[in-house]
Amino acid sequence: MRKPVIAGNWKMHMTCAQAREWMATFLPLIAATPNDRELVVAPPFTAISTMADLVKGSTLELSSQNVHWEGHGAYTAEIAPGMLLEHDVVYAIVGHSEPRKYFSESDEQINHRARSAQSNGLIPIVCVGETDEQRTRGEAERVIRRQVEQGLEGLDPAKLIVAYEPIWAIGTGKTCESTEANRICGLIRSWVGSPDLIIQYGGSVKPGNIDELMSMSDIDGVLVGGASLEAESFARIANYQAG
Ligand code: PGA
């Protein structure tokens, strides 16, 4: 039985003061949310300590937006697993299309990050997905398969989340058709060969499409960017009702 994971990625948004305000609105809205789903938010590093205090006693868990493969060292701007565990962080997003694009992160680096997360007791959320051009050229499946094979090499599928995020759908308002997202998530599951693997969809998820997405048989949750910045809209997503 795969328990859906609803995760919000705040990216480079939210000061500590804004995070406090967000939580004051959000927590009452999830007080009656069924516990058949996990709720997660990934704040920027500067707000993790504040958020760690605020989530205490709630069902909300924390994710980081990155994690390094070394425990410490001369890696300016990076974050070590132990620094996250100190704040009760449970998940770590790796391989998001933004660091892949802006900082040329490779599948090999992403694999190092994900392995480091797992071996330190964090659950990596490994993002994969094709660009618009790759989809138009009919290369989507080949690209995603390569990302899956290289990025997930040596990982334990029982302590892993894969997020299928077609890049053309991120922050554009263009959601992937739910049936197509479901088809790709099913393919990923078959490539990994683990029926219990949790696979999220990400890309312009919002209150208006969450119920349909969560009704799909191979979509086990969502990774939400823009719509997680407003507490009300993320609460509506958290309170999805699958048909
Ligand atoms: P979006 O971002 O929901 O704003 O499209 C998704 C993501 O980047 O994970």
Side-chain angles (χ1 to χ4, degrees), residues 110-215:
I110 289 156
N111 183 252
H112 284 318
R113 293 187 188 283
R115 282 181 187 229
S116 153
Q118 275 198 345
S119 61
N120 284 283
L122 292 162
I123 299 175
I125 302 177
V126 182
C127 306
V128 298
E130 80 286 1
T131 64
D132 209 1
E133 298 75 52
Q134 288 164 336
R135 178 159 279 267
T136 310
R137 288 200 299 263
E139 295 170 1
E141 290 177 24
R142 192 177 57 74
V143 167
I144 300 163
R145 187 163 189 161
R146 191 206 64 225
Q147 293 172 336
V148 165
E149 283 174 359
Q150 296 182 5
L152 305 189
E153 203 200 318
L155 293 178
D156 177 355
K159 296 176 189 142
L160 170 69
I161 296 178
V162 176
Y164 168 53
E165 299 208 298
I167 295 169
W168 46 271
I170 295 179
T172 57
K174 283 196 263 174
T175 322
C176 184
E177 284 285 325
S178 52
T179 49
E180 174 60 5
N182 192 53
R183 186 182 75 83
I184 300 281
C185 290
L187 277 177
I188 294 171
R189 196 184 316 286
S190 69
W191 294 331
V192 176
S194 170
D196 296 330
L197 175 67
I198 294 177
I199 307 181
Q200 296 175 316
Y201 166 78
S204 298
V205 175
K206 34 192 183 251
N209 58 24
I210 185 65
D211 293 344
E212 183 179 329
L213 286 163
M214 290 307 297
S215 303

Side-chain angles (χ1 to χ4, degrees), residues 9 11 96 98 165 169-172 202-205 223-227:
N9 172 12
K11 307 190 181 184
H96 190 277
E98 286 149 14
E165 299 208 298
I170 295 179
T172 57
S204 298
V205 175
L223 185 54
V224 187

